[in-house]
Structures are given as structure tokens and as C-alpha cells.
Amino acid sequence: MSATSAAGRHPEQDGHLVSESGGVRHIAVVGAGAAGTLTAMRLLQHAAADRRAALRIWLIDPEPAGRGLAFGTEAPHHLLNVPAGRMSAHRDDPDHFVRWLAEHGEPGREHDFIARGRYGRYLADSLDAASRLDGAPDLVRLHDRVVGITHQPDPAASPLRLRLASGQWLDFDAAVLALGNFAPGQGWAPPALRSAPGYLPDPWAPGALERVADDRDVLLVGTGLTMVDMALTLQRPGRVVHALSRHGLVPQPHAGTPVVVAPTPDLDGVSGLAELRRAVLRQISRCRRSHGDWRAGVDSLRPLTSALWQRLSPADQARLLDQDLRLWETHRHRIPPTSAAALRGAVDAGLVSIGRGTVVGAETAEATESGKSAETTADRLQVRLDNGRRLRVAAVLNCTGSQTDLTRVEDPLVADLLAGGLGYPAPVGGGFDTTSAGRLRPAADHAPAPLWTLGTLRRGNLLESTAIPEIRCQADDLALLLLDRSAVEQRGATARQH
Ligand SMILES: Cc1cc2nc3c(=O)[nH]c(=O)nc-3n(C[C@H](O)[C@H](O)[C@H](O)COP(=O)(O)OP(=O)(O)OC[C@H]3O[C@@H](n4cnc5c(N)ncnc54)[C@H](O)[C@@H]3O)c2cc1C
């Protein structure tokens, strides 16, 4: 759907897509991955319920809705890491996804781990259904990228001007930044590796895996969820997939049968990292005894994680990120039992090898051995590890996960927001510094703009802010807040017109 036909806007005037009428509030959702799609969906549903016709919601992303990084894959073995029964798009209708699956020919899958591509279609379908609700406001899908935002303090003007990669700009009353996962950081990679032809800086980039030679060994740097996906995709007879990280820790599997979550403990009196570590271990071993599974204890802490994180001093937060987070995440963000079994089978068969290590240097085979033999030209990279080992591989894949340090993200919109003072990085943990409602805090001496965010971009403030169960609540809270705000601003705008 084009912006002009759906919005009834004039195509452009000197680059500016012009609003056709006064009185209509325009809200932009930038990014149509899971977070942006859920936000737009909730805005449509709540506005339809309230009969808010004088509202237009713009969902801006060059990519299709509902997919994003996690749910754009079509590989059948790239599974959700949360059972279907906990992946509803609606916080107030927990069986919604399970019902959708049943309506689409897959009944009774509550405890199953569904292919992520299927979940992407579910999200897109849910958005579509919300846009067709009786009384829903217009939804405009704009296939473009936002590259800059200006805050216009003039009360007669719309407060936000969004600049698009196409060269156009648009004015809005409020915007939600659902920018999601940025490409992985490169800081760990020696310069010689970064410039090597066999180096893949982002294995999720479209077509990246097509550059990996068919049957040669490869190295995956990082041993988290992306490594599991890549190892299962690339493993085959005749090739060894090496995977390594500083700690060598791999995500734990979900239990084969559902585990009853233990009650949330009372950790109100806990202060400081040392005490928190003891309290967490106590809770996990207590739950292992009472419920027969450590997972019951880990999951019981989920509702408290953000509050416990926020209670730590910045120094303790930095220590937690450095010393505890990886271990916590491998127990907290688990993989489906089938993925764990497939990985274990590949390791046992010698097709995948997982260990500890750091890359300290790299040379292309041509540079070291003049590229004379067939073997050296195919296995182009020789990688040196901190333990003195050398690996000869055709490709090195950066599986270290999304870059969360905004000062290192190579993204024009983020750079523009930081340079313009509309937002600044959270002091520890990545993402933007935000209020408790997810509004961007401006840099000193700048007025707060009507800009909100959710998901990964709130990691520094919340720590746990990347999975659907958290994101769907944030999206719903934001939609409610923005609609109330729209009502307030509508009254202000009407007053101005009189
Ligand atoms: C491989 C992987 C698997 C995962 N599996 C699960 C799972 O099974 N269950 C679960 O709960 N969570 C999972 N997660 C966590 C996941 O991060 C979230 O669930 C969710 O997908 C995040 O969605 P998002 O919209 O915030 O980000 P993204 O998926 O990264 O989407 C962001 C979107 O914003 C767009 N965008 C960015 N900048 C701009 C701009 N300037 N202008 C316009 N558009 C822009 C991008 O094109 C993209 O479409 C997984 C994550 C990964 C990386």
C-alpha cells in the first residue's frame, strides 16, 4: 500500500508529504519488526474500541511487517525459543497464537516450538486483522527508512519531522522507535579479519550465507542463539563447524515436558550484586528441590528482573554484564529440545565443535602460502586463537549478537538522534536512556520530544527487554499512553484553532 493512496496525502511538495486536513493526529511507528507491528496493532485495536477516527498510524519500514530479524527466516529448523502457548501477540488473550495455528491447520500445538517464519506470518495477519476492525483508524504502510528526526518546538507546527531515505519528509505528532536489533559489533575482530573476503560481519544480512563455500570448514564466533541457528544450517558431512566464544557457554535446552513456574520470590530486601547473586542461587536451588527442575526457579525471577537490575548501582550493573550475564542468558533464553538434540548429535558426530577461545589474528591463505594449492585457495582464511591454535577455514561468521552500544552502531537515524540531542545512550547496558514509560530522555539543555521506544533499545534501563512476552506488554502500554496523549493533544490543537 503506498503512502499516498492510503493516507490521502498529496504525493509531495518540495519533498514534503503534506497532510490533507487539520485535526487528524499522525503517529509514526518506525520499524515493522515484531515490536513495531505489535505497537501498530495495539494502537489500531484500542483506537477502534474508542472510535478514534481522527487518527492516522504510519508504519514505516522498507521490510514487510511482522518479520524483522527474528521472524524473517524461512528455514524450517529456525524455531521459536518460546513454546507457542507463550507467544500470543495479545497480553490479554494468551491463547491467541495457539488458536491461530489451529485455524491454519495445526491444532494442539501449545507446548510446541513453531518455525519462526510462521510466527512472522501470524504477526502480519494479526496486524491486518486489527486494521480491518470496525472503527479502526487508517494504517499507512510506508516502505522507506527513516534517516533523521527533527523536533520542532514551534507550537503551531507538528512537533516531529521525520526525514526518509527517499528524500521526503513527514510531520508527526508522536513517534515510536521500534528499531530492534542492529548488526553485530566488530570490536573483537582483528583488522586483517575484517577486511578478509571470507569474513561475514552479519550472518543475518540477506544472502550472507550464499558466500560460504559449500563443503569447507567454517568458524562461528559467538556461542549463543545465533550460533545454534548457524551451526544447524551449515553442518554437513565433510565440514567441521567450529564455534567459540570467550566463555564457551551454549544456551541450555528447554525441558522435554512443560515445567510449572514457581511463585515469584520476595527479594525486596536484596541490595548489591553479591547479595543478589546469593539470592538468585538460593531461589534456583529451592525450586530445583520443590519443582524438580532449575528452570522453575529461573523463570520465577522473570517478573522481577528489571526491578532487581534497576536497584543495582551502575558499577554493580557493569560487573553483572561482565561476569554474570552470559551465564544467566544461557539459562534464561533456552533452545527447543529438538534444536539441542540436533546440536548434540552434530557435536557427537564431529560435525560441530564448540569451545572457548578468542580470535587474535588472521591471514588470508594467499598471504601466508601464496595461494598455490587448491586447498589453500578454497580454505582462504587462517585464524589464530589466543591458545596458540590455528584454524584454516573458508569463512568466519560474526555470531556475537546485536550491537547495543549506540555510540558504535552504524545507523544514520541513531547517529542523528544522538547528534541532535533528542536521545542519549543509557549509562550502562546499551540502548537509549528512557523514562519508565519508554520516552527518550533528551540530552542536557534539550526539550523532551514526543519520541518513545521499546524492545532492545530499552535494554540498559530494563535488562530483560528483547523477547515477545516483554515486548507485547511494552507495545500495549505505549499504545494506551499514546492514545491518551493524542486525546490531550487533540484538545490542545482544537483550542489553538479557536
Ligand atoms: C535470531 C533471533 C531469534 C529470536 N527468537 C525469538 C523467539 O523465538 N521468541 C522471542 O520471544 N524472541 C526471540 N528473539 C528476540 C527478538 O529480538 C524479539 O522477539 C523481536 O523479534 C524483536 O523485534 P524488533 O521489532 O524489536 O526488532 P527487529 O526484528 O530487529 O526489527 C526491527 C525492524 O526495524 C526496521 N528498522 C530499523 N531501523 C529503521 C529505520 N531507521 N527506519 C525504518 N525501519 C527501520 C528494520 O528494517 C526491522 O524490520 C529472537 C531474536 C533473534 C535475533
Side-chain angles (χ1 to χ4, degrees):
M1 190 188 296
S2 81
T4 37
S5 64
R9 290 186 162 206
H10 304 301
E12 55 186 273
Q13 285 183 0
D14 191 22
H16 186 188
L17 294 172
V18 188
S19 172
E20 64 180 5
S21 60
V24 176
R25 313 304 300 166
H26 294 269
I27 297 179
V29 179
V30 183
T37 297
L38 289 172
T39 306
M41 185 194 82
R42 290 311 256 179
L43 281 165
L44 290 165
Q45 287 176 327
H46 290 308
D50 295 355
R51 304 266 154 195
R52 294 273 180 83
L55 179 70
R56 193 158 293 154
I57 295 154
W58 297 67
L59 184 56
I60 309 173
D61 192 328
E63 305 299 332
R67 300 313 187 96
L69 181 63
F71 311 122
T73 171
E74 287 302 335
H77 60 274
H78 287 171
L79 302 177
L80 293 177
N81 56 20
V82 179
R86 299 219 306 272
M87 287 293 286
S88 170
H90 305 262
R91 75 191 320 179
D92 45 6
D93 183 3
D95 298 330
H96 190 262
F97 181 42
V98 175
R99 284 204 310 279
W100 183 90
L101 285 168
E103 283 158 19
H104 290 78
E106 293 186 70
R109 306 222 42 197
E110 183 185 352
H111 301 301
D112 294 345
F113 297 87
I114 308 295
R116 296 208 298 269
R118 192 129 177 80
Y119 189 73
R121 281 191 286 285
Y122 160 69
L123 288 181
D125 247 27
S126 301
L127 177 67
D128 197 40
S131 72
R132 283 186 276 104
L133 285 173
D134 194 23
D138 281 345
L139 170 68
V140 187
R141 270 294 279 125
L142 197 57
H143 294 276
D144 209 330
R145 183 162 284 274
V146 178
V147 293
I149 299 183
T150 316
H151 185 204
Q152 312 183 98
D154 176 0
S158 296
L160 293 178
R161 174 157 290 184
L162 271 58
R163 294 190 304 284
L164 306 175
S166 59
Q168 297 172 325
W169 64 85
L170 279 164
D171 290 342
F172 288 95
D173 299 286
V176 176
L177 305 176
L179 312 182
N181 300 286
F182 298 109
Q186 316 289 331
W188 61 270
L193 178 59
R194 276 185 243 177
S195 57
Y199 175 61
L200 272 62
D202 180 3
W204 293 113
L209 297 189
E210 288 159 22
R211 288 174 45 206
V212 180
D214 259 358
D215 54 355
R216 299 290 164 161
D217 292 358
V218 296
L219 170 63
L220 312 181
V221 177
T223 57
L225 295 168
T226 298
M227 178 282 286
V228 177
D229 281 346
M230 292 300 148
L232 294 181
T233 300
L234 294 172
Q235 56 106 7
R236 65 202 54 175
R239 156 188 286 164
V240 179
V241 177
H242 302 274
L244 56 86
S245 63
R246 275 182 304 138
H247 42 71
L249 295 170
V250 177
Q252 294 287 316
H254 280 282
T257 51
V259 174
V260 177
V261 178
T264 306
D266 177 3
L267 300 186
D268 271 359
V270 172
S271 76
L273 183 58
E275 211 179 309
L276 177 60
R277 285 172 176 154
R278 283 194 295 275
V280 167
L281 290 176
R282 252 197 326 271
Q283 169 70 0
I284 292 172
S285 45
R286 198 181 298 133
C287 292
R288 192 171 22 207
R289 283 195 302 277
S290 60
H291 288 65
D293 197 313
W294 55 265
R295 296 170 184 85
V298 170
D299 294 353
S300 75
L301 293 163
R302 188 170 187 162
L304 290 181
T305 313
S306 291
L308 292 168
W309 165 254
Q310 286 165 355
R311 240 187 273 156
L312 294 175
S313 67
D316 271 350
Q317 289 182 334
R319 261 194 296 278
L320 183 149
L321 293 182
D322 188 42
Q323 298 169 11
D324 306 271
L325 188 68
R326 195 64 207 129
L327 188 61
W328 170 253
E329 285 189 337
T330 53
H331 289 80
R332 166 70 189 81
H333 299 288
R334 302 186 286 269
I335 52 175
T338 48
S339 306
L343 187 63
R344 170 60 41 211
V347 169
D348 290 347
L351 303 181
V352 173
S353 121
I354 303 174
R356 264 185 220 202
T358 306
V359 176
V360 294
E363 293 96 34
T364 57
E366 286 89 342
T368 53
E369 302 185 17
S370 316
K372 285 191 180 126
S373 76
E375 188 193 11
T376 51
T377 47
D379 297 334
R380 298 176 75 86
L381 273 166
Q382 197 173 87
V383 180
R384 279 181 287 119
L385 307 182
D386 55 346
N387 61 6
R389 242 181 109 197
R390 285 168 189 265
L391 293 175
R392 187 176 285 182
V393 292
V396 177
L397 279 69
N398 182 3
C399 300
T400 57
S402 168
Q403 172 64 272
T404 55
D405 179 350
L406 296 185
T407 61
R408 291 164 180 253
V409 162
E410 286 177 23
D411 180 271
L413 176 55
V414 170
D416 184 77
L417 290 164
L418 296 182
L422 297 191
Y424 67 87
V428 187
F432 284 107
D433 202 20
T434 60
T435 66
S436 57
R439 189 169 184 167
L440 264 61
R441 290 189 205 276
D445 303 328
H446 286 74
L451 279 174
W452 282 263
T453 189
L454 75 167
T456 311
L457 283 172
R458 296 197 66 199
R459 184 172 174 269
N461 289 143
L462 302 174
L463 190 63
E464 287 282 354
S465 189
T466 54
I468 294 297
E470 278 81 28
I471 290 177
R472 70 180 166 211
C473 293
Q474 293 177 19
D476 192 35
D477 289 344
L478 267 186
L480 288 166
L481 182 144
L482 285 168
L483 291 175
D484 282 343
R485 185 185 165 73
S486 291
V488 171
E489 288 184 351
Q490 183 69 53
R491 283 196 291 279
T494 312
R496 277 204 301 273
Q497 284 163 15
H498 282 264

